[in-house]
Amino acid sequence: MCRRYLALWFPYLATDRLRRLGRIPAFGTPAEKAHVLVEMQGSALRLVDCNLRAVQLGLTRGMTLADARARIPDLVALEAEPQADRDFLDDVAAFCDRFTPLVACDEPHGLMLDITGCAHLFGGEEGLGTLAGRSVQRIGLKLKAAIAGTPDAARACARHGRGGIVPPGQEEALLRALPVAALDTDAETVIALSRAGLKTLADVAARPSETLSARFGEALAVKLGRILGHEDRRITPLRPPPDCVVERHFAEPFADTASLEAVVVRLIEEAARVLEARGEGGRVFELGFFRSDGAVHRLALETGRPSRDAKALLRLYRERIETLADPLDPGFGFDAIKLAVPICEAFGTPQHSLDGRAVEEEAVADLVDRLVTRFGRDRVLRFAVQDTHHPVRAAKALSAAAPLPEAAWPEPEPEEPPARPLQLFEPPQPVEAIAEVPDGPPIRFRWRRLTHDVARAEGPERIAPEWWRDGSDEPMRDYYRVEDAQGRRFWLYRTGFYEAESAPPRWFLHGLFA
């Protein structure tokens, strides 16, 4: 399949953002003046962006503020906010996710969309380009758009050409007339090429690539080949492409919140059919609501196991809607709703046993999913076994929505007491203990000012430190399971040995058995 890319370039992104915020008057109004954004570069304030009025009066980026004020005395200068501009560009990229899941930022002030296989959903490439341009202009941005077979060709056509659609395989024929500035290299290289008589890409392409690489480096020849369609470098999208996507687009903005759930139900049912045909189930379901004013609302639903049950997913959606601190506001209406399944796993149909345990497990899993949706994935936890002999690290609390590790809990021996207590003290509590023989189990210990006489003891279980994690300075521990005369059971350990040359060993209480 021939790959196609849509480049969107916003020449006045920063000033358009400020215009949306009301800090710059709209173009053509009586209060409209030349506005520029400045930042300190070296020892002078320089222009980093200009609105359309300032460009019409002859101002350009890189000019010093003093020079610009000398030309236009009533010039309005504002401080540049590059981070706010990047955040705004990310918001625009999220809005363009309605056209294709492969959206990447193209610095500065541009977006690159991989529309391969997507154009027919919007009436072809011309229809997609028109819809994208109209949607972006509706949120107050001026843009130039171009479609070509490589990202560099689409970018050069949008920023240095007339835009439009470059037919497949025609990049070299139609883009050779672009100026050498389309190579997007540094200003010194552009000046050197111009002084050498190379004004257009055709002039540069006529030179041997070895000569260009020797004089300007290999990057220039590679960039030229990409613009002329000889090489496709692909793009790195901001969000990983989901495994399954279903969506609905509306001819007019959709603002009926009462019927919104019906649209979501149809999307969930359609996604369930797609997953069933693949033999898979989803772990994460993400709903995206695209408003006509450019705002995008996303709701994520997570399940503890692969699922394609439409009724269960609808219950999670209702739970999620009820827990929103900021209700889902349609504003001027939604013109697109998308359901993406970024994580899919193999779905096995369980064989229900006659004892009903499988049904109970499903009910518990559904309850866990609802709790995670209502309270958040970091507030509903489960314990998972870890591959370690260290008692403190033997279990780890994970999110209930996270997949369980492959390691399983060890099966207890029939009619045998548990080897580890359910309750551990962190840190272990020091006790005073007396042993009948050196390096033997305790016969009496004192804990919290109470003396316990040991009736039975089992051990020792020697646990060495994990030297690859903690270092070798931690001493070994000898653990004992002991029971006092009243039937209470404790888990004690001793560090050190009874030796004349060393300090006496110390005893600690690490846990209590139920």
Side-chain angles (χ1 to χ4, degrees):
M1 178 182 295
C2 180
R3 304 202 68 86
R4 303 292 285 171
Y5 298 89
L6 169 61
L8 302 178
W9 180 46
F10 312 106
Y12 309 104
L13 177 74
T15 54
D16 287 344
R17 179 183 66 83
L18 296 179
R19 184 177 293 109
R20 283 170 52 89
L21 298 176
R23 296 169 60 181
I24 294 181
F27 179 73
T29 60
E32 201 274 335
K33 293 183 179 180
H35 286 69
V36 295
L37 302 181
V38 298
E39 70 177 6
M40 184 65 68
Q41 296 181 359
S43 59
L45 284 173
R46 293 187 178 274
L47 279 56
V48 296
D49 209 341
C50 312
N51 68 343
L52 181 58
R53 180 62 176 168
V55 173
Q56 291 175 344
L57 294 177
L59 301 185
T60 59
R61 296 181 179 90
M63 183 182 297
T64 63
L65 179 60
D67 191 8
R69 287 196 184 278
R71 300 185 184 188
I72 307 175
D74 60 345
L75 179 66
V76 179
L78 302 174
E79 184 178 359
E81 300 173 339
Q83 184 58 48
D85 295 337
R86 285 191 289 269
D87 295 340
F88 180 58
L89 186 62
D90 290 340
D91 293 339
V92 179
F95 175 74
C96 291
D97 187 57
R98 55 176 296 190
F99 305 115
T100 172
L102 303 178
V103 182
C105 288
D106 188 16
E107 298 290 346
H109 303 169
L111 295 176
M112 188 66 63
L113 285 65
D114 187 342
I115 60 172
T116 305
C118 301
H120 69 281
L121 301 175
F122 304 92
E125 293 182 353
E126 184 176 357
L128 175 57
T130 302
L131 177 61
R134 188 187 308 121
S135 301
V136 173
Q137 289 174 352
R138 189 186 303 156
I139 62 178
L141 294 179
K142 299 178 179 62
L143 84 157
K144 286 181 64 178
I147 298 177
T150 66
D152 296 86
R155 186 179 194 268
C157 187
R159 302 194 180 196
H160 303 278
R162 297 182 178 180
I165 301 176
V166 179
Q170 300 296 317
E171 287 81 10
E172 183 170 3
L174 298 180
L175 301 183
R176 291 170 64 90
L178 294 181
V180 293
L183 294 171
D184 286 327
T185 184
D186 55 272
E188 291 78 5
T189 302
V190 174
I191 294 175
L193 291 172
S194 300
R195 289 177 178 176
L198 307 178
K199 306 293 185 181
T200 64
L201 297 184
D203 298 334
V204 180
R207 300 290 180 176
S209 60
E210 296 80 3
T211 304
L212 293 175
S213 300
R215 174 62 179 85
F216 301 103
E218 294 183 2
L220 183 68
V222 172
K223 183 72 174 181
L224 178 63
R226 290 174 176 175
I227 293 177
L228 298 182
H230 300 164
E231 180 185 351
D232 182 5
R233 63 176 174 88
R234 305 297 174 88
I235 62 174
T236 302
L238 295 174
R239 297 163 54 86
D243 294 335
C244 174
V245 179
V246 293
E247 52 191 317
R248 288 289 185 275
H249 294 263
F250 309 102
E252 297 294 334
F254 180 79
D256 186 8
T257 56
S259 303
L260 182 62
E261 184 174 305
V263 178
V264 173
V265 170
R266 289 196 293 270
L267 291 176
I268 293 177
E269 292 175 348
E270 183 176 350
R273 290 193 294 269
V274 174
L275 294 174
E276 184 178 5
R278 297 180 182 178
E280 297 178 337
R283 289 289 309 276
V284 177
F285 298 82
E286 185 181 73
L287 281 162
F289 301 89
F290 298 85
R291 289 193 342 189
S292 57
D293 60 352
V296 180
H297 297 282
R298 300 188 188 274
L299 298 179
L301 310 176
E302 295 188 64
T303 59
R305 56 181 181 171
S307 174
R308 55 177 184 239
D309 187 349
K311 294 183 179 179
L313 294 175
L314 180 59
R315 289 195 298 268
L316 296 182
Y317 167 75
R318 291 171 177 169
E319 291 277 357
R320 189 74 175 87
I321 289 294
E322 292 177 1
T323 58
L324 288 178
D326 186 11
L328 193 62
D329 182 15
F332 294 102
F334 300 113
D335 49 13
I337 301 178
K338 175 184 289 189
L339 174 61
V341 189
I343 301 178
C344 295
E345 296 179 1
F347 186 88
T349 303
Q351 181 68 35
H352 290 181
S353 58
L354 297 179
D355 58 4
R357 293 184 60 184
V359 177
E360 295 178 358
E361 292 176 358
E362 290 182 2
V364 172
D366 292 339
L367 175 61
V368 170
D369 293 341
R370 294 178 62 185
L371 293 175
V372 170
T373 302
R374 177 171 290 273
F375 300 109
R377 71 188 323 270
D378 295 331
R379 296 184 178 181
V380 183
L381 306 177
R382 66 173 62 172
F383 288 103
V385 62
Q386 300 296 302
D387 186 13
T388 177
H389 60 268
H390 197 286
V392 175
R393 302 190 184 97
K396 182 179 180 181
L398 301 176
S399 172
L404 287 175
E406 297 182 358
W409 293 101
E411 293 290 339
E413 295 293 335
E415 301 180 359
E416 287 290 331
R420 295 285 189 272
L422 296 179
Q423 179 181 353
L424 294 180
F425 293 108
E426 183 60 32
Q429 299 188 8
V431 297
E432 300 176 1
I434 300 175
E436 185 175 8
V437 296
D439 301 336
I443 60 174
R444 183 181 296 109
F445 67 93
R446 182 180 179 85
W447 176 53
R448 292 182 178 177
R449 296 184 295 182
L450 293 180
T451 301
H452 300 266
D453 294 323
V454 176
R456 299 176 181 86
E458 184 180 3
E461 177 188 2
R462 178 162 295 177
I463 297 180
E466 296 179 342
W467 56 266
W468 60 90
R469 180 179 300 172
D470 298 327
S472 58
D473 55 343
E474 182 180 346
M476 290 188 298
R477 299 178 180 180
D478 285 345
Y479 279 87
Y480 295 90
R481 291 184 295 180
V482 302
E483 180 179 334
D484 65 1
Q486 286 74 32
R488 294 185 290 262
R489 306 186 73 238
F490 306 88
W491 203 38
L492 301 173
Y493 73 85
R494 181 189 67 243
T495 62
F497 301 95
Y498 290 95
E499 298 177 355
E501 295 81 6
S502 61
R506 300 180 61 190
W507 288 86
F508 295 88
L509 177 63
H510 202 172
L512 302 175
F513 290 92

